[in-house]
Amino acid sequence: MLDGHSLSEDRAFFRFGGVSHSPDHKLVAYGFDETGGEYYTIRIRDTETGRDLEDVIRNTTGGAVWASDGKTLFYTWNNERHQPCRVYRHRLGTPGDQDILVYEEQDPGFFVGVGETQSQRFIKINAHDHQTSEVYLIDAQAPDLAPVLISPRETGHEYSVEHHEDRLVILTNSNGAEDFKVVEAPIDAPGRENWRELIPHEEGRFILGILPFKAHLVRLERYEGLPRIVIREFASGAEHAITFAEEAYALGLGENLEYETTTLRFTYSSMTTPGQVFDYDMASRQRVLRKTQEVPSGHDPARYLTRRLFAPAEDGELVPVSLLYAKDTPLDGSAPCLLYGYGAYGITIPAAFNANWLSLVDRGFIYAIAHIRGGKDKGYRWYRSGKHLKKKNTFKDFIAAAKHLIREGYTSQGNIVALGGSAGGMLMGAVANMAPELFRGIIAEVPFVDVLNTMLDASLPLTPPEWPEWGNPIASEEDFRYILSYSPYENVRAQAYPHILALAGLTDPRVTYWEPAKWVARLRATKTDDSLLLFRTNMEAGHAGAAGRFDRLKEVALIYAFACTITSRAE
């Protein structure tokens, strides 16, 4: 229906955004970005003729949601500061400049998104920052009606809304439910005063998301650091979890487009097991493997091992570390290690399969993921204890993971290559300043290294929404001094640094290219060693790097070539 390769012809950059079909499957709305700047154009394709309609909607976030009539679309618009702040309603066959404004966010610290409930009964408008959310619903069968507010925003209250029969099912952290609970409310009276508990809060069981079907409620949660899928029967309240045998793995809820079904589609992988798609009958508890990711060069999972370690942090917390290595890799400290980390925005880094990693592992590397604070790998508390005035825990956890791998004999000091991007690139800059002796190399992709100056510039599109994550140095002297104490750019000092590779994107709206450029310039002027310091700006891409599948692999090859060269593993 849509051939990205042909659509990208005569374009230096092309990336799909969202793709959604009309209720009768006759039309497909798709978004695409032509610069890497994340301003998406939406077109609508007729699936019978293969031709696009005349409708053109510009400056969107890329996704669109259909109303039940198959003629009305809702989408989110980006302003000139790249803030998704408006939701519009588009009627097929009308010019984009005549679209109806449905919702406009007035707070520059909040972003807006649009989606739909699993039942497709309601259109959802979600306004949020990193710690607060607010949801509105529109009846998909009456798209001209005004959106209905579910619960007014309250700082620190996060919630999401789904629909089941005559009620709403709501995932919320209200009333101290830090790891979230599930409540229900009548459709015609959805306010918090009418919320009734369905699944109580349980400390240490972090509920990531819910998916209601007609007879079952599915929830994806994280327990003891690992994901699990739990099925609840609405009628009886009986629950069961889907079990897996491997020590560390990744789970996801796949494309589940039907509401009246007992079949759940989910995805599974581990660092040794390629991605798999399963259909699971929630009534009979039978699972069917529908697809396994193909590795064109061949892959034998029996040749590799996955391990999960726990590294003691400076304050006694235990940091999970996921490992992948070949069975014949010597564990005497001689193996080089690529240690990846992120640790921000509550994003959990899964122990999933990535065929790219095998290129390093087959050359004798140990590939490790440090599940550090700032993510939600061990629940919401794990996130909270790695943000704002506790941000340094993120960096200390990564250093603790490196030291633990050295102590356990997986690698040795000075034989670790650290890798991180975006907020993980800030992590790279921080640990390079704090513990350079641990690392052979640092690879920083689109690194957020000029934290203080960026957070002091309220005119930048992402700065106000980021204040809950990092702090507001404009309004708070405490925040200013704390960010100053770790911001990678300000803390470059006259010392020996590891080999460093920094990558940027010219059209990047999230981490502007001048951040890594400034950082590299200061490093060149200040560091006392003769280690490699390489800086590359992709002149035709943004935050996510090259758009084409093979062009992106070339970037991965550059990163791995750097790691192999500095560890003498290039072959």
Side-chain angles (χ1 to χ4, degrees), residues 26-97:
K26 292 182 178 180
L27 300 172
V28 172
Y30 67 98
F32 58 93
D33 175 11
E34 298 178 90
T35 68
E38 300 182 36
Y39 284 98
Y40 290 83
T41 299
I42 293 175
R43 299 295 307 268
I44 294 94
R45 177 154 297 191
D46 186 318
T47 60
E48 293 181 355
T49 67
R51 298 190 183 96
D52 288 341
L53 306 186
E54 293 184 1
D55 304 66
V56 180
I57 308 171
R58 303 189 188 280
N59 297 334
T60 79
T61 58
V65 180
W66 293 89
S68 299
D69 61 10
K71 299 176 182 179
T72 306
L73 283 168
F74 291 84
Y75 65 91
T76 307
W77 177 83
N78 277 329
N79 66 13
E80 66 281 355
R81 297 177 61 208
H82 213 283
Q83 292 173 315
C85 59
R86 295 178 185 171
V87 173
Y88 282 96
R89 184 175 70 242
H90 175 77
R91 183 78 173 179
L92 293 185
T94 62
D97 57 8

Side-chain angles (χ1 to χ4, degrees), residues 225-279:
L226 286 175
R228 68 179 181 184
I229 295 172
V230 179
I231 314 296
R232 179 187 180 92
E233 190 177 67
F234 272 117
S236 67
E239 294 187 353
H240 71 274
I242 305 175
T243 59
F244 305 93
E246 292 190 271
E247 193 172 317
Y249 50 85
L251 287 176
L253 300 178
E255 290 292 328
N256 289 277
L257 302 179
E258 297 293 334
Y259 173 68
E260 296 189 28
T261 180
T262 62
T263 300
L264 168 71
R265 176 158 290 182
F266 70 88
T267 60
Y268 174 90
S269 76
S270 74
M271 296 177 78
T272 58
T273 303
Q276 297 176 325
V277 178
F278 287 92
D279 280 346

Side-chain angles (χ1 to χ4, degrees), residues 307 309 323 325 330-331 333-335 366 405-406 408-412:
R307 290 287 180 265
L309 310 178
L323 300 181
Y325 56 92
L331 303 181
S334 62
I366 290 173
L405 291 170
I406 294 167
E408 294 298 308
Y410 287 97
T411 188
S412 55

